[in-house]
Amino acid sequence: MGLSGVTVGILALQGAFVEHEAALQRLDRKIEVILVKTPEDLEKCNALIIPGGESTTIALLARLSGLTDPLKQFVSEKPVWGTCAGAILLSQTVENTKRGGQEVLGGMSVGIARNGWGSQVESFEAELTVNGLRDPETPFKGVFIRAPVILELKPGEADPPIEVVASLSPKLLPPALATPDHSNEPKTFVALRQGLHFLTTFHPELTRDDRFHEYFVRECVLPRLA
């Protein structure tokens, strides 16, 4: 199936949804993009991107917009990609939450920690080792802004396997996360795919390199529509 008729929604309650929209439009004008703000918007979508932003705020606004339950149902059936805050919402468990905890949508069998790299001033860019992207020999520069850290992979026997799509050097881990023998997996994992679901702990949408958007459409969205 080609890209005609493919409708990708972007949850547009808070965060970098405009940047994702621009990336998809650069990728292929045949993709219809919907900025999702209501359950009715969500019903029109074949797939969804949950952008970076503030995970607690996005979860609260989703609840106020009547989107929480429709989103959970959508995640259980269709392709979803979460970036940064979106990755937190797709996870199974969350550490370092604000008081009151973190509501999640689930979908991926991972444990994650909010702000694993520290505060805003400790944000950074780094070249990533990538697998499965177009032109994999070309490094991808990841933009990490108050990024979460993946703590563990915990798929059940009936769950799809988890594929590591991108990782970074253990040398870049903050001292609190590093171990003397450099056995830092899965803390070095920054992009994971599990079945139709995909997460990145960084912000691909803040670059002009659209290979992660192409990967999501090619590996997660089109197979679901075939």
Side-chain angles (χ1 to χ4, degrees):
M1 178 177 179
L3 293 176
S4 296
V6 174
T7 301
V8 178
I10 305 170
L11 190 62
L13 302 177
Q14 190 262 346
F17 54 86
V18 172
E19 289 82 355
H20 275 293
E21 180 183 26
L24 287 173
Q25 290 175 340
R26 287 194 304 269
L27 184 63
D28 198 307
R29 287 284 180 174
K30 294 178 182 177
I31 300 174
E32 181 180 0
V33 180
I34 293 179
L35 297 181
V36 174
K37 298 182 180 181
T38 67
E40 291 73 25
D41 294 333
L42 188 62
E43 289 177 359
K44 302 172 185 176
C45 301
N46 303 123
L48 181 71
I49 297 174
I50 304 175
E54 210 292 317
S55 59
T56 307
T57 300
I58 293 174
L60 175 61
L61 292 174
R63 177 67 62 186
L64 294 174
S65 302
L67 270 166
T68 301
D69 289 338
L71 282 169
K72 289 181 178 179
Q73 184 65 33
F74 192 98
V75 168
S76 73
E77 299 174 347
K78 297 183 180 182
V80 182
W81 173 18
T83 64
C84 197
I88 294 171
L89 293 170
L90 281 184
S91 66
Q92 194 174 94
T93 59
V94 184
E95 295 187 12
N96 195 27
T97 64
K98 289 185 176 181
R99 182 177 298 177
Q102 170 72 60
E103 186 167 17
V104 296
L105 303 173
M108 296 195 67
S109 307
V110 302
I112 207 166
R114 294 176 73 254
N115 300 336
W117 302 92
S119 65
Q120 185 87 11
V121 297
E122 294 168 297
S123 301
F124 66 98
E125 297 182 5
E127 289 191 350
L128 307 178
T129 302
V130 296
N131 300 302
L133 294 191
R134 187 181 68 248
D135 302 324
E137 68 282 354
T138 303
F140 188 98
K141 182 171 288 187
V143 180
F144 294 80
I145 302 174
R146 295 177 61 195
V149 167
I150 295 168
L151 299 178
E152 59 178 330
L153 310 183
K154 43 187 183 181
E157 291 185 3
D159 295 330
I162 298 176
E163 175 188 354
V164 179
V165 179
S167 58
L168 47 69
S169 169
K171 296 178 181 179
L172 293 176
L173 289 173
L177 296 176
T179 56
D181 62 356
H182 297 293
S183 58
N184 297 296
E185 298 177 339
K187 295 171 186 175
T188 57
F189 300 160
V190 295
L192 299 173
R193 175 189 167 205
Q194 185 177 26
L196 298 175
H197 300 139
F198 185 43
L199 70 75
T200 53
T201 62
F202 56 99
H203 290 269
E205 76 281 5
L206 297 184
T207 75
R208 296 287 297 182
D209 188 337
D210 301 328
R211 284 180 292 161
F212 274 92
H213 290 80
E214 190 271 340
Y215 177 91
F216 175 61
V217 172
R218 168 169 48 89
E219 297 294 334
C220 299
V221 180
L222 291 181
R224 175 65 171 77
L225 299 177

